[in-house]
């Protein structure tokens, strides 16, 4: 596993370049940076870049995604990690409190947990920080007046939108479908629910892999856009009845429920790529009319319905690109870009070039341009 971490670190070319610069410029000298984020090889690369910039990094993982080898590696490299892998929200809350007890100067938040808890027990030296996700932005935006510090939202950068959400999620969902099911996409009827940034990439990547793709979208304008992009846009029930593969990627709840069981074709494969495992209501689907047979180590749940039809759910409805055997998530390059935005945003807050009026706002355009220029230059080299 150490090899994988080293591989990821050396493949993060932008972060490597920033690390070399930070070793010289020391933008975080004497500062503590606190975070609660998935602890896996790509975040290791980010946290060690911040450490190279002079920061004392204090961290804990997210629920259900901490990789022990990443924790060991971070600890060997002088990053403080509270706790280890856990599915227990109470235990994780205790570790978030430990992060905040260090009174970090900067917070690298993921879902808004750290800033919300900071408001319960504020301290003087917090300068501000970053928030990685849309869900965190939605949680923190109503708290702007209370936070009153710069907080830059990485997800709202156009670079994150196209590099990760559009291109990388689409690729990794196709990779995960094939890795877990080992079935071909060629000629398969695929229905994608949602035509936002992620849904566009999922639909495009299945089409590029020779599937016959239709899109179900509740926003009439985006539905039209999907049609103009060349996808079929059947009504929802018609799409579900003919689909051999269904992917949800909406951010909404209960997109597929037991009420759809009558529609689903025999042998259909269902997978979710949205953030929360609530788009396919797996408990509802498996509740009564079906008998589940579960192969957990393969990431496939097969349910047999009373009338003999079978349906298969990948990754129990959790994000399919982080599910099943040996999940890799989104590409290193897309995360290298997103984490470079993180490093540059924290640097800007540390040096005071972003003020408190920038509370829960997108990454400044100048940082987007700086990161975009560097990536193109490195790609040409
Ligand atoms: N798997 C990953 O690696 C990954 C990465 C980034 C984001 N995400 C998640 O993917 C989800 C989608 O992200 P996005 O950036 O595309 O969001 P988005 O808001 O741009 O798009 C979501 C689309 O789904 C549509 N929609 C909502 N409910 C629907 C329904 N019941 N049926 C059909 N369409 C419906 C909306 O109208 C919207 O167009 C979010 O949960 C996000 O957090 C996952």
């Amino acid at each position: 596993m150490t090899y994988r971490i080293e591989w990821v670190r050396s493949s993060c070319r932008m972060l490597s370049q920033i690390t070399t610069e930070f070793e010289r410029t020391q933008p975080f000298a004497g500062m503590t940076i606190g975070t609660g984020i998935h602890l896996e090889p790509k975040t290791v690369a980010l946290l060690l870049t911040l450490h190279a910039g002079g920061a004392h990094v204090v961290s804990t993982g997210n629920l259900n995604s901490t990789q022990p080898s990443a924790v060991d590696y971070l600890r060997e490299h002088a990053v403080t990690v509270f706790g280890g892998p856990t599915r227990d929200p109470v235990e994780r809350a205790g570790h978030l409190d430990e992060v905040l007890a260090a009174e970090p100067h900067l917070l690298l938040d993921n879902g808004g947990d750290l800033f919300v808890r900071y408001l319960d027990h504020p301290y003087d030296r917090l300068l501000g920080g970053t928030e990685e996700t849309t869900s965190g932005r939605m949680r923190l935006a109503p708290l702007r007046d209370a936070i009153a510090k710069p907080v830059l939202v990485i997800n709202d950068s156009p670079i994150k939108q196209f590099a990760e959400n559009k291109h990388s999620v689409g690729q990794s969902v196709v990779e995960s479908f094939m890795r877990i099911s080992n079935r071909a996409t060629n000629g398969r009827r695929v229905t994608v629910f949602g035509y936002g940034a992620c849904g566009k990439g999922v639909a495009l990547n299945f089409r590029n892999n020779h599937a016959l793709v239709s899109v179900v979208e509740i926003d009439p304008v985006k539905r039209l856009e999907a049609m103009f992009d060349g996808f079929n846009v059947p009504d929802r029930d018609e799409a579900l009845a003919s689909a051999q593969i269904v992917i949800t990627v909406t951010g909404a709840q209960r997109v597929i429920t037991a009420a759809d069981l009558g529609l689903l074709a025999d042998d259909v494969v269902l997978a979710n790529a949205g953030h929360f495992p609530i788009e396919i209501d797996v408990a509802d689907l498996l509740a009564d009319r079906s008998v589940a047979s579960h192969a957990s180590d393969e990431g496939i749940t097969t349910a047999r319905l009373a009338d003999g039809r079978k349906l298969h759910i990948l990754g129990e409805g959790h994000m399919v690109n982080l599910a099943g055997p040996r999940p890799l998530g989104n590409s290193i390059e897309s995360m290298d870009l997103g984490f470079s935005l993180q490093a540059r945003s924290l640097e800007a807050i540390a040096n005071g070039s972003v003020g408190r009026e920038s509370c829960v706002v997108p990454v400044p355009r100048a940082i987007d341009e700086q990161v975009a220029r560097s990536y193109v230059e490195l790609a040409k080299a």
Side-chain angles (χ1 to χ4, degrees):
M1 192 60 186
T2 302
Y3 180 77
R4 170 141 296 277
I5 295 175
E6 301 288 354
W7 166 258
V8 168
R9 287 189 72 192
S10 64
S11 302
C12 283
R13 296 178 69 201
M14 302 258 297
L15 279 180
S16 299
Q17 195 180 54
I18 294 172
T19 299
T20 305
E21 178 192 317
F22 279 4
E23 280 166 352
R24 187 171 38 82
T25 58
Q26 293 290 292
F28 309 118
M31 292 186 190
T32 299
I33 299 179
T35 188
I37 197 166
H38 306 294
L39 293 179
E40 47 76 54
K42 292 164 214 161
T43 46
V44 167
L46 170 61
L47 299 191
L48 293 182
T49 298
L50 304 177
H51 176 70
H56 173 217
V57 180
V58 290
S59 63
T60 191
N62 268 354
L63 284 179
N64 213 13
S65 64
T66 299
Q67 298 185 9
S69 53
V71 173
D72 293 345
Y73 193 94
L74 285 168
R75 286 181 176 145
E76 281 161 21
H77 289 76
V79 169
T80 301
V81 184
F82 297 112
T86 179
R87 288 170 173 253
D88 179 355
V90 177
E91 185 184 340
R92 177 167 185 267
H95 297 317
L96 290 171
D97 287 340
E98 286 181 272
V99 169
L100 286 167
E103 301 196 351
H105 299 81
L106 295 163
L107 296 176
L108 191 170
D109 210 351
N110 187 279
D113 289 332
L114 286 170
F115 278 105
V116 167
R117 298 181 97 77
Y118 156 79
L119 289 178
D120 289 339
H121 300 285
Y123 52 86
D124 287 341
R125 70 182 194 181
L126 182 72
L127 299 173
T130 53
E131 166 53 48
E132 175 75 10
T133 66
T134 322
S135 45
R137 188 239 296 132
M138 288 162 73
R139 205 169 159 201
L140 297 180
L143 304 174
R144 278 191 184 104
D145 288 346
I147 298 172
K149 313 248 182 223
V151 179
L152 302 179
V153 181
I154 307 301
N155 189 71
D156 293 345
S157 159
I159 295 177
K160 168 87 160 55
Q161 288 288 319
F162 64 72
E164 182 183 330
N165 294 19
K166 181 175 174 193
H167 286 281
S168 189
V169 173
Q171 286 178 333
S172 63
V173 168
V174 171
E175 181 274 328
S176 298
F177 168 79
M178 297 187 71
R179 173 172 46 84
I180 297 172
S181 74
N182 199 211
R183 287 187 176 179
T185 53
N186 307 64
R188 285 264 154 70
R189 291 186 303 277
V190 177
T191 294
V192 178
F193 277 75
Y195 203 65
C198 295
K200 282 178 185 159
V202 172
L204 183 67
N205 276 275
F206 271 100
R207 179 163 72 187
N208 287 349
N209 281 278
H210 313 287
L212 306 168
V213 181
S214 62
V215 169
V216 175
E217 174 50 79
I218 55 171
D219 177 337
V221 177
K222 289 187 177 168
R223 187 184 190 198
L224 174 66
E225 186 183 2
M227 177 190 263
F228 262 69
D229 289 343
F231 295 104
N232 287 328
V233 287
D235 290 339
R236 177 188 187 283
D237 288 4
E238 185 191 339
L240 268 186
S242 71
Q244 296 169 302
I245 301 167
V246 176
I247 310 285
T248 56
V249 60
T250 67
Q253 299 192 17
R254 305 191 76 239
V255 176
I256 311 283
T257 68
D260 298 314
L261 280 172
L263 290 172
L264 295 171
D266 184 29
D267 211 31
V268 66
V269 177
L270 307 175
N272 168 51
H275 190 77
F276 295 107
I278 48 176
E279 300 204 16
I280 300 172
D281 192 337
V282 177
D284 193 29
L285 281 175
L286 301 183
D288 46 29
R289 289 171 54 191
S290 55
V291 180
S293 67
H294 189 204
S296 62
D297 56 340
E298 296 293 334
I300 306 173
T301 303
T302 294
R304 286 172 202 281
L305 308 188
D307 61 10
R309 283 176 297 146
K310 289 192 303 258
L311 62 92
H312 314 283
I313 302 164
L314 304 188
E316 299 175 62
H318 288 264
M319 276 191 286
V320 69
N321 54 350
L322 289 173
R326 201 168 177 267
L328 294 171
N330 291 322
S331 66
I332 293 172
E333 287 82 352
S334 69
M335 302 308 289
D336 190 26
L337 274 164
F339 288 165
S340 297
L341 293 170
Q342 279 279 9
R344 291 297 184 199
S345 296
L346 289 166
E347 178 190 31
I349 295 167
N351 69 24
S353 60
V354 181
R356 58 186 290 178
E357 69 287 351
S358 297
C359 186
V360 194
V361 301
V363 171
R365 179 76 187 171
I367 293 179
D368 281 331
E369 290 184 0
Q370 180 186 21
V371 167
R373 263 191 224 103
S374 302
Y375 192 90
V376 172
E377 286 306 315
L378 271 175
K380 286 197 305 195

